[in-house]
Every structure is written in structure tokens, then in C-alpha cells.
């Protein structure tokens, strides 16, 4: 039995389907039964529960040999770091109570740093919690999610530019989330890992945000789309205008600063092992452009 947290999300849903296609018994975990139903229709067992509920997490992992663990990116909370702390302790407690032997944990590039990285510091803490359990665990540390660009579509429409407080000239490893999911599914299907290990996932190449603007712009018929580095004050105003609490906005501003200061740089040498397939050009054509056209 495999238990998959975040089963309705970008990575969890793909992992669950890969395992089901391989004939595995899969329990999918999420907060809403209706969103889990498509996976149930494909043969999964649904478990409805909140990651902050330790007893629920113990039941979610009960009987599972292996699982996929992640702390959801909840933007609707008042205190994101407190949410990460509560969710992380609950998930780790559930894994321990259920006696799960193998775990793949979604972490991030930069998670080697205990602080100064915004929400990634919470992933560092989660890595430490799982390491302390003595289970066999692989911490996947992907780079910048290409899907983050989807959140920038309203800004492109309103201002005609791609904007954030991140410097335009820093090359970053950019990865499509299905590639993360397939790497996780491969590991879970093999189940041949022991001890505690980390593995970075770096996409096909590093890309600056200035380069990304040109690639995304070409896909939506705006070849002159420019990237503009916004001020941190402008970014904070934009996040709060989206309904994000000032406390959560501050956590993400720290993430932007960490990126500008080089704390989110990959630590592994790029290799076939950590390079994934989907290019930003493919993502722009197949995902970004259709999403932009639907707005």
C-alpha cells in the first residue's frame, strides 16, 4: 500500500496515477472528497483529512509500506511558518505512528539552509523531522516550478510585463512539476533506497527570468514581453491585494531575497541523474499559452 499526500495537486495526482497504472494499491489523501473522486474512479482508496491533524495522518498512512509526503502550499493561512510547523509535525507523527518504512518527501533546492529562505526553511525543518524518525527517506529538492509563471498571468495582462522582485540575471534551475512527479513515482516503484538521502531535480537547464520572459512571450504572441524587477514594496502590495495576509507575504518576500542572495542555487553538479526533460519552451507552448488564452 502507498499513501499519497497532496493527491489532487500537481505532483501527487501524477504519482498516484503512475502507481495505479503499475497495479499498486494506492490511498490518496486530500481535504475534499469530490476532488479525490477521479482517482477513486481509477482504483484508488480515498482518505479525507487535514495535514494538521496528527490522528488523521496516522490513519492516512496506516497499513502503508511507503508514502509520498509534502506540506501543501497553503496561502490562505494567517501564519505560514506556523502552518508548516504544525503540518510537518503532524505528518511526521503520522508516518511514525503508522510504521511506514519508505518515504519520498517533496522538499526544495535551498533546503540545506535552516533559515533565511522563507517557506523553504520549513522544508528544511521537515527534512530534519523525517531524518530523526529513522525511516528510509529520499528528499527531492526541485528548482523553480515552471507552474509559478501561471500566477503571473494577471500581471502580464494588466501591466504588459513579467514582474517580481527577483533579479533578472540569475540563472535558476526551472522544472515542470510532472517531471518531479515522475521522478518520485520511479523511486516509489523501485523502493530500493535506504537511509536518508537528498536528490536535486534541476529541469533541463538553468534559465534567467529575463530569458524566461522572452520564451513565454513568444508562446503567447508577445515576443517583446519584458521582465521587470519590481521593488519589494510593490511585491508586498501585490500579494496583499491578492488576499494574502501580510505575515504570509513577508515569508515570500524573504524567499525572493534568498533567491537574489544565491541561497537557492543548486548544490549538485548537473548530471543525467538530476536533469529532467521538459523544457521551458515546451511548458510555454503546452501549458502557459493555453492558460493565458483562457483568461
Amino acid at each position: 500500500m502507498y499513501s499519497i499526500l497532496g493527491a489532487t495537486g500537481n505532483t501527487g495526482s501524477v504519482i498516484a496515477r503512475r502507481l495505479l497504472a503499475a497495479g499498486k494499491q494506492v490511498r490518496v489523501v486530500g481535504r475534499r472528497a469530490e476532488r479525490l473522486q477521479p482517482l477513486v474512479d481509477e482504483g484508488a482508496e480515498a482518505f479525507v483529512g487535514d495535514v494538521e491533524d496528527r490522528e488523521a495522518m496516522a490513519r492516512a498512512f496506516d497499513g502503508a509500506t511507503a508514502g509520498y509526503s509534502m506540506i501543501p502550499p497553503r496561502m490562505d493561512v494567517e501564519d505560514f511558518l506556523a502552518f508548516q510547523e504544525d503540518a510537518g509535525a503532524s505528518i511526521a507523527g503520522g508516518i511514525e505512528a503508522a510504521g511506514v518504512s519508505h518515504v519520498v518527501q517533496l522538499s526544495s533546492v535551498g533546503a540545506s539552509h535552516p533559515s533565511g529562505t522563507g517557506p523553504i526553511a520549513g522544508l528544511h525543518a521537515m527534512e530534519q523531522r523525517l531524518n530523526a524518525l529513522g525511516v528510509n527517506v529520499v528528499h527531492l529538492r526541485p528548482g523553480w516550478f515552471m507552474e509559478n509563471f501561471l500566477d503571473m498571468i494577471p500581471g502580464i495582462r494588466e501591466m504588459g510585463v513579467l514582474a517580481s522582485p527577483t533579479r533578472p540575471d540569475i540563472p535558476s534551475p526551472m522544472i515542470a512539476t510532472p517531471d518531479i512527479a515522475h521522478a518520485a513515482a520511479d523511486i516509489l516503484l523501485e523502493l530500493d533506497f535506504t537511509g536518508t538521502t537528498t536528490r536535486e531535480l534541476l529541469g533541463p537547464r538553468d534559465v534567467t527570468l529575463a530569458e524566461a520572459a522572452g520564451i513565454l512571450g513568444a508562446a503567447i504572441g508577445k515576443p517583446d514581453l519584458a521582465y521587470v524587477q519590481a521593488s519589494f514594496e510593490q511585491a508586498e502590495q501585490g500579494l496583499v491585494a491578492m488576499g494574502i495576509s501580510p505575515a504570509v507575504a513577508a515569508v515570500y518576500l524573504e524567499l525572493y531575497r534568498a533567491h537574489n542572495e544565491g541561497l537557492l542555487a543548486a548544490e549538485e553538479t548537473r548530471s543525467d541523474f538530476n536533469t529532467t526533460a521538459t523544457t521551458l519552451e515546451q511548458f510555454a507552448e503546452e501549458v502557459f499559452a493555453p492558460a493565458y488564452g483562457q483568461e
Side-chain angles (χ1 to χ4, degrees), residues 169-273:
D169 59 335
I170 300 177
S172 298
M174 295 187 182
I175 187 169
T177 55
D179 288 351
I180 302 170
H182 286 301
D186 288 344
I187 295 168
L188 288 168
L189 286 168
E190 292 291 337
L191 277 190
D192 59 354
F193 57 96
T194 58
T196 60
T197 59
T198 61
R199 176 182 172 187
E200 291 186 343
L201 296 173
L202 306 179
R205 70 183 191 280
D206 291 1
V207 183
T208 68
L209 285 173
E211 293 170 334
I215 293 168
L216 297 170
I220 59 174
K222 296 180 180 293
D224 296 327
L225 181 69
Y227 177 76
V228 173
Q229 183 179 358
S231 70
F232 285 95
E233 292 77 12
Q234 290 170 325
E236 181 179 23
Q237 292 169 5
L239 290 169
V240 172
M242 292 167 57
I244 296 170
S245 75
V248 174
V251 171
Y252 278 87
L253 291 177
E254 184 176 79
L255 177 66
Y256 294 132
R257 289 190 177 94
H259 188 280
N260 289 347
E261 294 167 4
L263 295 180
L264 307 187
E267 297 178 0
E268 296 178 10
T269 301
R270 184 176 286 279
S271 66
D272 290 342
F273 189 60

Side-chain angles (χ1 to χ4, degrees), residues 126-167:
M126 187 61 185
E127 288 190 9
Q128 299 307 304
R129 285 191 189 92
L130 292 178
N131 291 348
L133 296 183
V135 301
N136 302 302
V137 58
V138 176
H139 303 291
L140 291 181
R141 294 179 174 177
W144 172 296
F145 289 6
M146 294 178 188
E147 284 76 6
N148 290 339
F149 289 118
L150 299 176
D151 295 331
M152 298 183 180
I153 288 176
I156 295 173
R157 289 195 170 278
E158 293 170 15
M159 299 180 293
V161 296
L162 191 70
S164 86
T166 305
R167 282 172 45 189

Side-chain angles (χ1 to χ4, degrees), residues 8-227:
T8 61
N10 288 335
T11 58
S13 61
V14 175
I15 294 167
R17 289 190 166 95
R18 278 283 309 279
L19 296 174
L20 288 168
K24 304 299 183 181
Q25 187 178 5
V26 179
R27 179 182 296 137
V28 290
V29 183
R31 290 192 295 160
R32 292 161 51 186
E34 64 273 18
R35 294 193 61 193
L36 294 170
Q37 190 58 47
L39 291 167
V40 172
D41 294 341
E42 295 175 40
E45 171 192 334
F47 183 90
V48 178
D50 196 297
V51 293
E52 294 181 274
D53 183 338
R54 180 168 176 160
E55 291 185 2
M57 289 298 97
R59 296 196 304 274
F61 284 104
D62 184 44
T65 299
Y68 177 67
S69 167
M70 64 168 294
I71 298 177
R74 291 275 300 276
M75 302 295 285
D76 58 337
V77 297
E78 285 298 316
D79 187 334
F80 189 81
L81 295 180
F83 164 72
Q84 284 186 306
E85 181 73 18
D86 291 344
S90 174
I91 293 167
I95 289 170
E96 182 178 33
V100 179
S101 63
H102 290 73
V103 177
V104 173
Q105 161 72 17
L106 179 62
S107 187
S108 173
V109 163
S112 59
H113 302 288
S115 61
T117 56
I120 296 176
L123 302 181
H124 170 89
M126 187 61 185
E127 288 190 9
Q128 299 307 304
R129 285 191 189 92
L130 292 178
N131 291 348
L133 296 183
V135 301
N136 302 302
V137 58
V138 176
H139 303 291
L140 291 181
R141 294 179 174 177
W144 172 296
F145 289 6
M146 294 178 188
E147 284 76 6
N148 290 339
F149 289 118
L150 299 176
D151 295 331
M152 298 183 180
I153 288 176
I156 295 173
R157 289 195 170 278
E158 293 170 15
M159 299 180 293
V161 296
L162 191 70
S164 86
T166 305
R167 282 172 45 189
D169 59 335
I170 300 177
S172 298
M174 295 187 182
I175 187 169
T177 55
D179 288 351
I180 302 170
H182 286 301
D186 288 344
I187 295 168
L188 288 168
L189 286 168
E190 292 291 337
L191 277 190
D192 59 354
F193 57 96
T194 58
T196 60
T197 59
T198 61
R199 176 182 172 187
E200 291 186 343
L201 296 173
L202 306 179
R205 70 183 191 280
D206 291 1
V207 183
T208 68
L209 285 173
E211 293 170 334
I215 293 168
L216 297 170
I220 59 174
K222 296 180 180 293
D224 296 327
L225 181 69
Y227 177 76

